[in-house]
Amino acid sequence: MNCYCASGLEYANCCQPYHLNKSNAPTAEALMRSRYSAFVLANGNYLFETTHPSKRKGNSADSYTKSAKNTKWLKLEIVAAEFDKVEFKAFYLNHKFQTEVLHEKSYFKLEDGKWYYVDGVFY
């Protein structure tokens, strides 16, 4: 099965090892892709754990899971990736079953060998 993050790799050889905590995403882009896949799969625990601790206030693994379950994600497109920034477009269906786009430049932080999502700017 191809990975949800559109890497072209199989899920088992792409985002799944990160989701199973067998390894950490080696780059900000890999983390962003794995977080997209986690949204598709409603893996709230992974989303919570990969959010920088300074940004977790008011969020919980359950809130991530509920949010993810309320969205039908369609595809991911990477626009640009730098060391600690990734601009992407995530396509999803709205409540009227129309395709919409979440266009974001996300910022990440590397701490103790592990990447974390910090925040993003929406377009």
Coordinates of all heavy atoms in Angstrom, one line a residue, residues 70-75 90-101:
N70 N -12.9 14.0 11.8 CA -13.9 14.8 11.2 C -13.5 15.4 9.8 O -14.2 16.2 9.2 CB -14.2 16.0 12.1 CG -15.0 15.6 13.3 OD1 -15.8 14.6 13.2 ND2 -14.8 16.2 14.4
T71 N -12.4 14.9 9.3 CA -11.9 15.4 8.0 C -11.5 14.3 7.1 O -10.9 13.3 7.5 CB -10.6 16.3 8.2 OG1 -10.9 17.3 9.2 CG2 -10.2 17.0 6.9
K72 N -11.9 14.4 5.9 CA -11.6 13.4 4.8 C -10.4 14.0 4.0 O -10.6 14.8 3.1 CB -12.8 13.1 4.0 CG -12.5 12.2 2.8 CD -12.1 10.8 3.2 CE -11.9 10.0 1.9 NZ -11.0 8.8 2.1
W73 N -9.2 13.5 4.4 CA -8.0 14.0 3.7 C -7.9 13.3 2.3 O -8.1 12.1 2.3 CB -6.8 13.8 4.5 CG -6.9 14.6 5.8 CD1 -7.2 14.2 7.0 CD2 -6.6 16.0 5.9 NE1 -7.2 15.2 7.9 CE2 -6.8 16.4 7.3 CE3 -6.3 17.0 5.0 CZ2 -6.7 17.6 7.7 CZ3 -6.1 18.3 5.5 CH2 -6.3 18.6 6.8
L74 N -7.5 14.0 1.3 CA -7.4 13.5 -0.1 C -6.0 13.3 -0.6 O -5.7 12.2 -1.1 CB -8.2 14.3 -1.0 CG -9.7 14.6 -0.7 CD1 -10.3 15.6 -1.7 CD2 -10.4 13.2 -0.8
K75 N -5.2 14.3 -0.4 CA -3.8 14.2 -0.9 C -2.9 15.3 -0.3 O -3.4 16.3 0.1 CB -3.7 14.1 -2.4 CG -3.9 15.5 -3.1 CD -3.6 15.4 -4.6 CE -3.7 16.8 -5.2 NZ -3.3 16.8 -6.6
A90 N -2.6 20.5 1.6 CA -3.3 19.3 1.9 C -4.7 19.5 1.4 O -5.4 20.4 1.8 CB -3.2 19.1 3.4
F91 N -5.1 18.6 0.6 CA -6.5 18.6 0.0 C -7.4 17.8 0.8 O -7.1 16.7 1.2 CB -6.4 18.2 -1.4 CG -5.5 19.0 -2.3 CD1 -4.2 18.9 -2.3 CD2 -6.1 20.0 -3.1 CE1 -3.4 19.7 -3.1 CE2 -5.3 20.8 -3.9 CZ -3.9 20.7 -3.9
Y92 N -8.6 18.3 1.0 CA -9.6 17.5 1.8 C -11.0 17.9 1.3 O -11.2 18.8 0.6 CB -9.5 17.9 3.3 CG -9.7 19.3 3.7 CD1 -11.0 19.7 4.1 CD2 -8.8 20.3 3.5 CE1 -11.3 21.0 4.4 CE2 -9.0 21.6 3.8 CZ -10.3 22.0 4.3 OH -10.5 23.3 4.6
L93 N -12.0 17.1 1.8 CA -13.4 17.4 1.5 C -14.0 18.1 2.6 O -13.9 17.8 3.8 CB -14.2 16.1 1.3 CG -13.9 15.2 0.0 CD1 -14.7 14.0 0.0 CD2 -14.1 16.0 -1.2
N94 N -14.7 19.2 2.3 CA -15.5 20.0 3.3 C -16.8 19.3 3.6 O -17.1 18.2 3.0 CB -15.6 21.4 2.9 CG -16.5 21.7 1.7 OD1 -17.4 20.8 1.3 ND2 -16.4 22.8 1.1
H95 N -17.6 19.9 4.5 CA -18.9 19.2 4.9 C -19.9 19.2 3.7 O -20.9 18.4 3.8 CB -19.5 20.0 6.1 CG -19.9 21.4 5.8 ND1 -19.1 22.4 5.7 CD2 -21.2 21.9 5.5 CE1 -19.7 23.5 5.4 NE2 -21.0 23.2 5.3
K96 N -19.7 19.9 2.6 CA -20.5 19.8 1.4 C -19.9 18.9 0.4 O -20.3 18.9 -0.8 CB -20.7 21.2 0.8 CG -21.5 22.2 1.7 CD -21.6 23.5 1.1 CE -22.4 24.5 2.0 NZ -22.5 25.8 1.4
F97 N -18.9 18.2 0.7 CA -18.2 17.2 -0.1 C -17.5 18.0 -1.3 O -17.4 17.4 -2.4 CB -19.1 16.1 -0.6 CG -19.7 15.3 0.5 CD1 -21.0 15.5 1.0 CD2 -18.9 14.4 1.2 CE1 -21.5 14.8 2.0 CE2 -19.4 13.7 2.3 CZ -20.7 13.9 2.7
Q98 N -17.1 19.2 -1.1 CA -16.3 19.9 -2.1 C -14.8 19.9 -1.6 O -14.5 20.0 -0.4 CB -16.8 21.4 -2.2 CG -18.2 21.5 -2.6 CD -18.8 22.9 -2.4 OE1 -18.5 23.5 -1.4 NE2 -19.7 23.3 -3.3
T99 N -13.9 19.8 -2.6 CA -12.5 19.8 -2.3 C -12.0 21.2 -1.9 O -12.4 22.2 -2.5 CB -11.7 19.4 -3.5 OG1 -12.2 18.0 -3.9 CG2 -10.2 19.3 -3.2
E100 N -11.3 21.2 -0.8 CA -10.7 22.5 -0.3 C -9.2 22.2 -0.1 O -8.8 21.0 -0.1 CB -11.4 23.0 1.0 CG -12.8 23.4 0.7 CD -13.3 24.3 1.8 OE1 -12.5 25.0 2.5 OE2 -14.5 24.4 2.0
V101 N -8.5 23.3 0.1 CA -7.0 23.2 0.3 C -6.6 23.9 1.5 O -6.9 25.0 1.8 CB -6.3 23.8 -1.0 CG1 -4.8 23.6 -0.8 CG2 -6.7 23.1 -2.2

